[in-house]
Every structure is written in C-alpha cells, then in structure tokens.
Amino acid sequence: MHYAPASEPCPLPFSPFKACTVPRPIGWLSTISADGQANLAPYSQWQNLTFDPPMVMFAANLYGDGRRKDTVLNAEETGWFVWNMATYELREAVNRSAEDLPRGVDEFDRAGVTKAACIDAPGPRVAESPCHFECRYLQTHRLEGRSAMGTVDVVYGEVVRIHVDDRVVTPQGKLDIPAIRPLARMGYYDYTSVTEVFEMRIPGSTPGAGQGLEGRVTR
C-alpha cells in the first residue's frame, strides 16, 4: 500500500501519518497572557533541537477559522513559555487541558492541577509535574498549509532554567524514567507511557569522551 498525500486519497480509513511518527513527546505548555490570564495546553508536535544552549520547539496548527492558539499568542506577547512533563499519573489532567475553551479560561483550574511559581518566566508551572523547562521565546516560523488547520506556527525557545523534582533522581544522578512514566502521543486517540528502558552505546565510543549522545554535563 502506498499513496501520495498531496494528490491521492488515503486508502485506509484513518491516516497512518501520525501513527508512524511515534511515540511523540508531549509539550504540556503553560503560558500567561499580557493581562495575566494563565493558560495550559498539550502539544504532541514538540521536540528538543540542540543542547548548547538547550533549545526546543513546538508546532501549533491554526483553528479551522484561522485563529491562532493561545499558547503561541502568549509566548509572543510575554516572551516566555514553560514545558511541564506529562506523566501517566497526570494523563487525565493533560487530556482535560486539551479542551477547546474560550481565551481567558484558566485550564489549570479546569484540569485540577496546582500552579507553582517559576523563577524567570512570568507564568506558572504545573506543581504536580516532576520536570519543567522555563523557555525564553525566540521566534515563530509560519508554514502555510492547504487549509487553515493545515497551517502551522512553529515556535522556538531557549531553555533558560530546568526544574527536576529530587524524588525522581536515581542515586546515580539520572532521571528514573520507569518511575516517572512520561506520557507520549501515538496515532489516532492512542497514548503510551515509558515503563522500561534499555541502554545502547555507539560502537567504539569512549565513556566520558566529549558530549557524545548523552555525555556528562561539562558546564
């Protein structure tokens, strides 16, 4: 089976595109508007870009009527957005925060999670989440689609502060991922969480030599 998405109908009842690009980490992003309204929303098109300095991106499709997402507007207005790690324990709160609500409605209250103050960013973070990135907004890049919903704002930010709950750090100084159970998006309405990990090292690599894939922090 194959098809050209731009010119041929999908031969399956559901598009396989998002189901192939899995698992996708969730950008559970909190922002605040210029007039002080908090916002919280999950984005499954989220990723880190580089590490020196650490930079991230998220992609927010427009609404069908051409409106832009509040997260994008708030990041551009205030210069900040905050990533909160989505976990299996918080899955229902993440899902509730995805609801399409009028601008100004506080999704923290809707999702039943607690606001915690940031250090640099003006908006709050999710207190129940084990890890957070305070991100300084860098720029927005617009990619035009064949429809309003197909058009996407790609937002870039620099991570200027990282928060990690001491309770999820192992004695070796690593995040205890199986205990955290980070939530990830699959295709359709499916999700997964990380419950097991395994290690592989690049053949010929020397532990501790340079940055490598996941080298020690040197600064």
Side-chain angles (χ1 to χ4, degrees):
M1 185 277 289
H2 61 86
Y3 71 106
S7 59
E8 299 174 356
C10 177
L12 298 174
F14 302 98
S15 170
F17 171 66
K18 290 185 178 180
C20 288
T21 51
V22 295
R24 300 192 303 279
I26 295 175
W28 200 19
L29 303 179
S30 53
T31 55
I32 194 167
S33 65
D35 59 0
Q37 294 290 326
N39 182 269
L40 179 65
Y43 292 85
S44 64
Q45 295 164 153
W46 152 273
Q47 192 54 265
N48 67 308
L49 296 172
T50 186
F51 56 86
D52 188 21
M55 296 183 187
V56 295
M57 60 74 64
F58 70 94
N61 291 85
L62 303 188
Y63 289 108
D65 60 5
R67 287 179 298 125
R68 305 172 78 205
K69 297 293 176 63
D70 289 346
T71 305
V72 178
L73 295 172
N74 291 347
E76 292 177 347
E77 287 178 1
T78 67
W80 294 89
F81 60 92
V82 178
W83 171 77
N84 307 272
M85 180 178 278
T87 67
Y88 183 78
E89 183 178 354
L90 292 168
R91 66 193 183 281
E92 295 297 340
V94 173
N95 195 41
R96 284 194 296 270
S97 68
E99 187 178 1
D100 183 11
L101 300 171
R103 183 170 173 81
V105 175
D106 192 327
E107 287 86 359
F108 278 83
D109 294 338
R110 192 81 164 195
V113 292
T114 310
K115 294 185 179 78
C118 291
I119 295 175
D120 299 297
R125 53 197 172 103
V126 177
E128 292 82 358
S129 178
C131 305
H132 313 85
F133 295 165
E134 296 185 38
C135 305
R136 180 181 291 117
Y137 167 81
L138 296 175
Q139 60 179 277
T140 303
H141 183 77
R142 169 68 61 85
L143 295 174
E144 296 291 340
R146 290 196 294 272
S147 65
M149 289 189 70
T151 297
V152 65
D153 286 328
V154 184
V155 179
Y156 302 94
E158 178 182 347
V159 179
V160 298
R161 191 170 300 274
I162 297 173
H163 301 258
V164 176
D165 190 325
D166 293 337
R167 292 175 296 180
V168 300
V169 179
T170 69
Q172 294 75 33
K174 298 181 178 181
L175 292 187
D176 191 345
I177 295 299
I180 295 173
R181 295 191 67 178
L183 200 64
R185 187 70 187 269
M186 307 292 280
Y188 323 118
Y189 292 110
D190 300 335
Y191 290 79
T192 188
S193 65
V194 181
T195 56
E196 60 181 81
V197 300
F198 62 92
E199 182 180 273
M200 290 196 300
R201 295 181 182 269
I202 300 173
S205 64
T206 302
Q211 187 69 22
L213 280 179
E214 299 292 342
R216 287 183 176 273
V217 177
T218 57
R219 64 177 67 197

